[in-house]
Amino acid sequence: MTDTHRPDSADPTTLPTTFVPVELEGELYVRWVANGYFKADETSDKPAYTVVIPPPNVTGRLHMGHAYEHTQIDAITRRKRMQGFETLWQPGMDHAGIATQNVVERELAKEGLSRHDLGREAFEQRVWQWKAESGGAISDQMRRLGDGVDWDRERFTMDEGLSRAVQTIFKRLYDDGLIYRAERIINWCPRCATAISDIEVDHKDLDGELVSIRYGEGDDQILVATTRAETMLGDTAVAVHPDDPRYSHLVGREIELPLTGRRIPVVADEHVDPEFGSGAVKVTPAHDPNDFEIGQRHSLPSLTVMDDHAIITAPGPFQGLDRLEARSAVVAALRADGRIVAEKRPYIHAVGHCSRCGTVIEPRLSMQWWVKVAPLAQAAGDAVRDGRVAIHPPELAGRYFDWVDNLRDWNISRQLWWGHRIPIWYSPTGETRCVGADETAPDGWTQDPDVLDTWFSSALWPFSTMGWPDQTDALAKFYPNSALFTGYDLLFFWIARMMMFGLYATGQSPFTEIALHGMVRDKHGKKMSKSFGNVVDPIEWMDSYGTDALRFALARAANPGTDAPIAEESVAGSRNFTTKLWNASRFALLNGATTTGPLPAAEDLSVTDRWILSRLSAVIAEADGYYEDYQFAKLSECLYHFAWDETFDWYLELSKAVFAQGGPASDASRRVLGHVLDTLLRLLHPLVPFVTEKLWTTLTGGESVVIATWPQDSGFRDPAAEATVAQVQHLVTEVRRFRSEQGVRTSQRVPAELELTDALAGREAAIRQLLRLDPPTDAFHSTATLPIGESRVSLDLSQAIDVDAEKRRLEKDLAGALKEIEAAAKKLSNDSFLSKAPDDIVAGIRTRHQNAELDADRIREQLAMLLG
């Protein structure tokens, strides 16, 4: 067992007596970056470890979810760097098409302008200007968090290089027949005036109205129900089930569509559920996805009756009305015409909303660009099924397969001005051409006005950031990425798309592992949301408690794939831990802990020294396992208890007497303490980087723990030493418990006789120091005897408590417990009571009986000890 650190230069006077995080963090991070610790070298012969940041939107600030995710990524990459990997944590931001355009449009509105007043080119320049002014907030927050990213490689999805990658893959997909243009039903946001994908629709329950409308007359009449009465203006059929006898006479005939003067056919379609409602549905192919499918099967016309802003365009009295105004007007007109058969209000139903602006979305027939996903999704599913990519935790793989195995073609065009322009050009005569990254469109041709879905460019992130489509050194070294860390909610938004495009573009999966975490919630388990008023800016808690405390609290809540409740109390508790780490390290330094020279041979160490070294080796192995399995909560608890309980509360206390004696044993313990602290600080560094950096460099004189060697399990185990210390711990704990129960102050010194086993006899000085037990004097009078295992501790409490009064109190408590036992037992032996009383009452009495018996046993034990 040896150490290989530089000569010790530990000086406890360089550590302030009080730990103030804000005085350390900024300075340390600047030094780390200036020294290039986070830079990745593609020419290195070290094995690569690569993680790309899930790019935050340029519009915002990092929230608690980002802090949670970044803590995990930073912990893993810091450890890999210490293990000798050429580690790249790739930073960058997403241009966030709709969100960014909305932000800039709101800014323009304050000036009384719209984007149309500026024109497209000037508006794009305005967005770039906004990005330059506002985009730095996220970078500043990442530095506060201690993110060990390679800032020289920072990327933005609208950068020239990444835009070239977007244009390249679009053309390849287009040339391979995997991108096409077609008119289909999409989710349309009337506020943003653009298509949005299914996964960008938030479904919320709304209080609406269900109206039943009579179509046709006499024997030809059919009842249909709808919550969107205004869409009847675009109906082109009524559909019934082919086996429904109620309507068999109408199938193939036409009936009157109210208010319009049109007649529409009745069609038979198996999509219709004859058991639901009247068994007949109105068919509006241009404004409902299911109706569109029916329309396709029956060659029905599609009538669009609303414009981009959901204003009615159908000729007639409702033209020019907003869709909600038209809904009321249409219902009123139908009522006046005697067509309303029933009205149900309130009628609670799920309604889709735009996730960006909250507007109710409108299903709408629209000409859009699509990706044919079937072959891409198949490849993405196979890569997980055959083990090329592992999902952690594995039980979430089912969600992934549910998505990719049922993926529909992806609508990639957006009717925005901010984003990657679709590289399709049209000639004056109607020809179409896809223009590649290194090509120029012919003169006189016009580019498609739409931009690409933001997720199209972010799907390229693992390799576009490395310089693809060029075969760069960075791509060769760092792709595929080693792992992806992201929330399980992005399985659909982002992960599946990266898998599809990575495999298509490079022939390799974009990463080998997917580590999924849950959502951060408040201490009550409620989602953090501005509308709930429970959102916490992580900077606030970092200012109050320090970055390390926030990170450690988040890590302690991080169980793979599950949501993480976080409370300020947790951060305060973690601040106590970092303070304990500081104070204990300072105490160790003041007592001469050293990292100079080799560790003494095992045979030259005390039992206590061998115990802590044995535990340290086991903890290294345990921590390694948790790091590899992304078990941050278990990792944090393991290191927390080893640091606080075993190292600080036991080893330091057990060693105080040794330090006081001096001599070779003291020197050996000081060296062991230095080794344990050095190793512990390195194990903790990925989780709490700032405090460990200051303490480790002070302790060892090393340059930085960021580039220190990761601890290795030496394999040293000493079960005998662990068993002996366990006996000491048991004895000390039992005596402390007894003292507390008798009301003896912690600081009160008490005379005691100790009858210790051979294994504990050599620990008597430490035991007395830990328990504040004085040697017996001539006046010693045992008032309490504690048999603990094969040892006995006799205490003279005559000067600490009134022993007779304590006996009387215990006897009174015992009498009360016995009375409770008798009363409960009487009820539980009464068959009449048991048969009539509710189960919860009986269960409560059983619990009272059990608790009273436990109390009685405890009191008898205390009395026996007091009586000697």
Side-chain angles (χ1 to χ4, degrees):
M1 295 184 294
T2 61
D3 276 347
T4 57
H5 285 305
R6 294 166 49 186
D8 181 35
S9 61
D11 179 3
T13 63
T14 64
L15 285 180
T17 55
T18 304
F19 173 45
V20 183
V22 71
E23 295 179 358
L24 296 175
E25 295 170 355
E27 175 187 339
L28 290 178
Y29 191 84
V30 168
R31 185 167 68 83
W32 290 337
V33 173
N35 289 345
Y37 296 152
F38 305 140
K39 288 184 178 180
D41 180 6
E42 54 259 41
T43 67
S44 166
D45 58 3
K46 296 179 183 178
Y49 188 85
T50 314
V51 176
V52 295
I53 193 172
N57 288 350
V58 70
T59 52
R61 293 173 57 83
L62 296 187
H63 51 65
M64 198 62 75
H66 290 116
Y68 180 64
E69 182 172 85
H70 288 207
T71 293
Q72 296 176 47
I73 300 174
D74 194 49
I76 291 296
T77 52
R78 282 179 182 269
R79 174 173 176 264
K80 290 295 181 181
R81 192 176 290 113
M82 296 171 74
Q83 287 182 306
F85 287 83
E86 193 61 42
T87 304
L88 169 60
W89 182 8
Q90 170 72 55
M93 287 181 282
D94 193 281
H95 66 280
I98 296 176
T100 301
Q101 181 158 316
N102 282 345
V103 168
V104 178
E105 285 195 89
R106 284 196 295 269
E107 293 298 311
L108 285 174
K110 295 175 184 178
E111 304 171 25
L113 298 172
S114 73
R115 61 183 165 110
H116 300 285
D117 294 325
L118 270 66
R120 184 163 192 154
E121 184 176 344
F123 178 77
E124 289 176 347
Q125 291 175 354
R126 184 68 176 260
V127 180
W128 278 107
Q129 177 185 339
W130 176 88
K131 190 262 182 184
E133 294 171 353
S134 305
I138 290 174
S139 296
D140 291 342
Q141 289 175 301
M142 288 173 63
R143 287 173 166 84
R144 282 293 307 275
L145 277 167
D147 288 356
V149 301
D150 186 343
W151 288 110
D152 291 345
R153 297 175 185 266
E154 187 173 12
R155 297 292 182 265
F156 180 54
T157 49
M158 291 285 285
D159 283 349
E160 182 179 350
L162 274 67
S163 296
R164 181 167 175 265
V166 167
Q167 197 170 352
T168 299
I169 199 167
F170 187 100
K171 181 168 175 57
R172 290 188 187 180
L173 289 163
Y174 181 85
D175 290 346
D176 286 346
L178 295 175
I179 284 182
Y180 64 94
R181 194 172 187 234
E183 192 174 41
R184 294 186 179 177
I185 290 285
I186 47 88
N187 301 301
W188 183 266
C189 175
R191 156 64 184 80
C192 299
T194 183
I196 60 175
S197 66
D198 290 344
I199 51 180
E200 291 172 307
V201 176
D202 294 333
H203 291 277
K204 304 175 185 177
D205 287 341
L206 291 187
D207 178 1
E209 181 180 25
L210 181 70
V211 294
S212 296
I213 309 169
R214 177 171 56 84
Y215 284 21
E217 299 289 350
D219 292 340
D220 290 352
Q221 66 180 337
I222 295 180
L223 295 184
V224 299
T226 182
T227 58
R228 300 164 66 217
E230 71 283 2
T231 62
M232 68 161 292
L233 302 174
D235 285 0
T236 57
V238 171
V240 297
H241 194 274
D243 298 331
D244 193 334
R246 293 173 295 176
Y247 304 114
S248 58
H249 68 291
L250 288 177
V251 174
R253 296 171 58 182
E254 291 186 341
I255 60 174
E256 181 185 351
L257 177 64
L259 305 183
T260 65
R262 290 192 289 115
R263 295 183 68 79
I264 57 176
V266 177
V267 298
D269 195 281
E270 291 189 352
H271 168 76
V272 180
D273 180 1
E275 301 299 323
F276 183 77
S278 67
V281 297
K282 59 192 287 297
V283 182
T284 321
H287 292 277
D288 183 274
N290 294 321
D291 293 2
F292 176 78
E293 299 296 333
I294 294 175
Q296 292 290 295
R297 289 193 288 271
H298 297 278
S299 302
L300 300 174
S302 296
L303 301 181
T304 299
V305 296
M306 297 182 210
D307 67 10
D308 292 356
H309 299 287
I311 303 298
I312 300 298
T313 58
F318 310 107
Q319 189 173 17
L321 294 180
D322 170 79
R323 57 180 166 167
L324 299 181
E325 296 172 332
R327 184 172 302 169
S328 299
V330 166
V331 171
L334 289 168
R335 190 182 297 113
D337 200 27
R339 295 285 179 174
I340 299 294
V341 177
E343 297 178 69
K344 184 177 181 181
R345 188 178 186 94
Y347 180 73
I348 306 300
H349 61 132
V351 177
H353 291 69
C354 174
S355 63
R356 300 301 181 184
C357 70
T359 301
V360 172
I361 63 99
E362 191 66 40
R364 183 171 186 260
L365 187 63
S366 180
M367 185 67 74
Q368 300 282 340
W369 287 96
W370 305 81
V371 171
K372 187 182 295 183
V373 300
L376 305 175
Q378 177 69 45
D382 290 346
V384 175
R385 285 190 174 93
D386 64 25
R388 281 174 286 163
V389 179
I391 292 178
H392 297 273
E395 57 266 25
L396 291 183
R399 295 192 194 183
Y400 176 79
F401 294 131
D402 286 344
W403 179 253
V404 298
D405 292 347
N406 299 285
L407 201 56
R408 295 186 296 179
D409 284 1
W410 173 16
N411 167 215
I412 56 171
S413 47
R414 299 291 180 265
Q415 291 63 53
L416 302 171
W417 286 359
W418 173 245
H420 295 100
R421 191 87 170 261
I422 288 180
I424 295 291
W425 293 73
Y426 306 102
S427 75
T429 59
E431 296 176 79
T432 301
R433 180 180 298 179
C434 181
V435 176
D438 300 317
E439 301 172 347
T440 303
D443 290 340
W445 287 45
T446 304
Q447 188 172 5
D448 192 297
D450 289 354
V451 300
L452 287 163
D453 178 10
T454 297
W455 297 103
F456 190 96
S457 54
S458 58
L460 313 180
W461 189 251
F463 52 93
S464 64
T465 52
M466 310 292 175
W468 186 92
D470 295 333
Q471 295 304 306
T472 63
D473 291 340
L475 194 66
K477 180 71 175 179
F478 298 117
Y479 185 86
N481 299 172
S482 305
L484 174 75
F485 295 82
T486 191
Y488 60 66
D489 57 318
L490 290 183
L491 263 174
F492 322 123
F493 281 92
W494 191 38
I495 296 172
R497 285 158 167 69
M498 283 191 289
M499 289 287 288
M500 290 191 298
F501 278 10
L503 287 160
Y504 172 79
T506 72
Q508 294 177 287
S509 300
F511 20 73
T512 56
E513 291 187 299
I514 301 170
L516 298 171
H517 60 73
M519 313 295 289
V520 176
R521 297 182 177 273
D522 70 12
K523 63 181 179 181
H524 304 294
K526 198 171 185 178
K527 178 182 177 181
M528 285 193 173
S529 167
K530 290 181 181 178
S531 60
F532 296 151
N534 61 349
V535 172
V536 178
D537 185 342
I539 297 294
E540 292 180 12
W541 283 353
M542 285 190 274
D543 287 342
S544 299
Y545 303 103
T547 296
D548 289 325
L550 174 66
R551 288 173 58 126
F552 199 64
L554 291 169
R556 293 180 80 177
N559 290 296
T562 61
D563 291 345
I566 188 71
E568 187 168 3
E569 295 87 343
S570 303
V571 186
S574 293
R575 168 59 193 269
N576 292 342
F577 174 65
T578 58
T579 300
K580 179 77 170 181
L581 192 63
W582 182 275
N583 292 339
S585 298
R586 194 169 186 278
F587 171 84
L589 289 167
L590 288 168
N591 280 274
T594 177
T595 59
T596 301
L599 283 170
E603 57 269 21
D604 295 329
L605 295 174
S606 69
V607 169
T608 306
D609 290 334
R610 295 198 305 275
W611 163 72
I612 197 65
L613 290 174
S614 180
R615 287 295 304 129
L616 177 64
S617 290
V619 165
I620 292 172
E622 190 176 355
D624 278 334
Y626 291 143
Y627 269 116
E628 292 296 325
D629 200 32
Y630 311 120
Q631 295 278 359
F632 293 101
K634 292 179 179 179
L635 166 68
S636 302
E637 289 306 298
C638 165
L639 296 179
Y640 174 91
H641 289 295
F642 176 73
W644 194 306
D645 301 342
E646 297 185 272
T647 303
F648 303 151
D649 280 358
W650 286 106
Y651 182 69
L652 279 182
E653 292 299 320
L654 288 168
S655 299
K656 282 181 179 178
V658 179
F659 294 153
Q661 292 171 2
S666 176
D667 292 340
S669 290
R670 289 188 174 96
R671 181 65 191 89
V672 169
L673 177 56
H675 172 74
V676 171
L677 273 180
D678 164 25
T679 306
L680 175 60
L681 292 170
R682 283 184 281 155
L683 290 171
L684 280 167
H685 172 70
L687 299 173
V688 285
F690 293 106
V691 67
T692 53
E693 170 78 344
K694 182 62 177 178
L695 294 176
W696 187 87
T697 53
T698 303
L699 173 71
T700 68
E703 180 184 343
S704 173
V705 71
V706 177
I707 54 173
T709 303
W710 184 251
Q712 298 293 315
D713 175 12
S714 67
F716 177 75
R717 302 290 191 276
D718 193 328
E722 291 194 36
T724 298
V725 174
Q727 291 181 49
V728 173
Q729 291 172 323
H730 177 61
L731 185 145
V732 170
T733 300
E734 287 301 303
V735 175
R736 283 175 172 169
R737 181 177 66 83
F738 179 77
R739 286 175 56 127
S740 175
E741 288 172 346
Q742 305 310 317
V744 179
R745 297 191 315 275
T746 303
S747 60
Q748 174 77 50
R749 301 199 66 84
V750 176
E753 285 184 343
L754 304 183
E755 300 175 43
L756 302 175
T757 63
D758 291 343
L760 298 185
R763 267 20 77 207
E764 180 171 347
I767 290 170
R768 287 188 177 278
Q769 181 167 318
L770 286 168
L771 291 171
R772 292 178 170 79
L773 300 180
D774 289 334
T777 63
D778 293 340
F780 179 82
H781 172 62
S782 176
T783 57
T785 300
L786 283 68
I788 304 171
E790 296 180 11
S791 298
R792 289 168 64 87
V793 177
S794 299
L795 304 172
D796 183 353
L797 301 177
S798 57
Q799 300 302 311
I801 61 172
D802 185 332
V803 176
D804 291 336
E806 183 63 17
K807 289 177 182 176
R808 289 194 296 273
R809 183 187 70 79
L810 288 172
E811 288 167 349
K812 182 178 179 182
D813 289 347
L814 178 60
L818 294 173
K819 185 177 181 181
E820 176 72 12
I821 291 171
E822 182 182 2
K826 186 176 181 181
K827 288 187 176 182
L828 293 173
S829 63
N830 186 328
D831 293 338
S832 175
F833 170 77
L834 293 176
S835 63
K836 295 178 181 178
D839 290 345
D840 60 330
I841 297 296
V842 174
I845 292 174
R846 291 189 194 280
T847 300
R848 282 170 49 194
H849 185 266
Q850 292 168 359
N851 290 341
E853 286 187 322
L854 291 172
D855 285 343
D857 289 344
R858 177 182 55 81
I859 296 167
R860 288 191 189 100
E861 183 182 348
Q862 289 179 253
L863 275 168
M865 291 175 180
L866 276 180
L867 295 170

